[in-house]
Amino acid sequence: MNQTKIISRILFYICSLLSAGYLIILLYSLLCLTTGFSVTPYKNGQYLHINLPFTEQPFLNIESNYPYMIFSFLLVLISYGIFFWLSAKVFRVFFQPKLFTQDNILELKKFYLYNIFIPLPLVTIASFFVEVETMIWGLVFIHFMLGIFCLFLANIFKQGLHLQNEQDLFI
């Protein structure tokens, strides 16, 4: 169990950093796109460079049309920021002193609900506005499978909590 705690703690920090990175990039991109700060158009205005703060160094390259900006850029940043935040919370479950708790089950539930019910509608809606590559549908399937796996884990945790509470009554 010590190995699980070490690995889950490492993955907790990695996912927390990834989540923070995605969400900071989202906020910075929103600031730049709404104010024009640190944005350089190129190729006759077809594309935009979002530059590193206070420089002329390109940081992100995006198409200069609103459907792309919303559905292929900003929506991806926010959805993966949330995904890694929820992943970090799931990994945090596995290094807690008491594994089978209602709070831990709730964290698993948030993760599986997000992965089962969010990616497919987002990609389906986006497909009406931008071209969705085949690989993206594969990612939707992977998220769905992650959600189902976490649903199984949550049910195991519920059973563990139930058994743990029964034993607490008899001891």
Side-chain angles (χ1 to χ4, degrees):
M1 191 64 182
N2 199 26
Q3 180 184 25
T4 302
K5 287 185 179 196
I6 292 168
I7 293 169
S8 64
R9 190 176 296 270
I10 291 167
L11 290 172
F12 166 75
Y13 289 119
I14 290 171
C15 287
S16 295
L17 284 173
L18 286 170
S19 175
Y22 272 103
L23 295 174
I24 288 168
I25 291 170
L26 170 72
L27 292 175
Y28 178 68
S29 298
L30 281 171
L31 171 76
C32 292
L33 293 172
T34 55
T35 65
F37 168 75
S38 206
V39 174
T40 308
Y42 67 100
K43 286 199 179 180
N44 296 326
Q46 274 187 309
Y47 301 95
L48 299 173
H49 285 306
I50 296 177
N51 299 319
L52 289 169
F54 309 109
T55 70
E56 292 297 316
Q57 286 291 104
F59 173 52
L60 300 166
N61 300 313
I62 62 172
E63 288 182 23
S64 183
N65 65 66
Y66 288 112
Y68 175 86
M69 285 182 207
I70 294 167
F71 295 105
S72 295
F73 181 61
L74 297 173
L75 200 58
V76 171
L77 288 175
I78 194 167
S79 60
Y80 273 103
I82 294 168
F83 169 76
F84 283 115
W85 174 64
L86 292 172
S87 296
K89 294 178 91 173
V90 166
F91 287 121
R92 187 176 62 194
V93 163
F94 292 100
F95 63 82
Q96 297 302 309
K98 197 169 184 181
L99 202 56
F100 301 116
T101 67
Q102 197 61 46
D103 289 340
N104 288 349
I105 294 168
L106 183 62
E107 296 305 333
L108 293 169
K109 183 177 181 178
K110 289 176 193 175
F111 185 80
Y112 79 70
L113 287 173
Y114 182 82
N115 280 282
I116 291 173
F117 294 110
I118 299 300
L120 182 60
L122 285 182
V123 173
T124 302
I125 291 167
S127 70
F128 291 112
F129 300 97
V130 294
E131 182 181 343
V132 176
E133 296 179 20
T134 307
M135 180 185 79
I136 302 303
W137 294 107
L139 285 173
V140 168
F141 179 72
I142 289 170
H143 278 283
F144 181 78
M145 295 305 291
L146 272 172
I148 296 298
F149 180 74
C150 201
L151 170 67
F152 292 164
L153 274 177
N155 287 332
I156 291 168
F157 272 53
K158 283 179 192 172
Q159 186 65 31
L161 179 62
H162 175 70
L163 292 173
Q164 177 178 283
N165 289 341
E166 273 188 11
Q167 286 179 351
D168 287 346
L169 293 174
F170 292 112
I171 293 177

